[in-house]
Amino acid sequence: MFFLWRPFLKDPKDDLVLEAAVASQSGIIVTHNIRDFEGIEEFGIEAILPREYLKRREY
């Protein structure tokens, strides 16, 4: 039950995004609000900007 660690982030709405990422074993959250996700590395997840995601997807 992942909700036991909430609240973790400043914004409770962002906690829901983090919880979904943890539950789905995602490694990345793509967001314009990088600062809102400080500390998520603890969960093995990084927050990146959409442009960074697109750069990583280029072949």
Side-chain angles (χ1 to χ4, degrees), residues 33-55:
N33 300 319
I34 299 255
R35 284 186 233 141
D36 291 347
F37 288 92
E38 290 179 358
I40 65 170
E41 298 81 20
E42 182 177 322
F43 295 94
I45 301 171
E46 67 176 318
I48 63 172
L49 293 169
R51 68 174 169 254
E52 178 63 27
Y53 177 76
L54 292 174
K55 285 180 186 177

Side-chain angles (χ1 to χ4, degrees), residues 1-9 12-19 43:
M1 308 215 45
F2 299 109
F3 64 86
L4 296 175
W5 47 263
R6 276 199 268 159
F8 185 80
L9 301 172
K13 293 178 185 175
D14 290 334
D15 276 331
L16 296 175
V17 174
L18 177 58
E19 183 175 342
F43 295 94

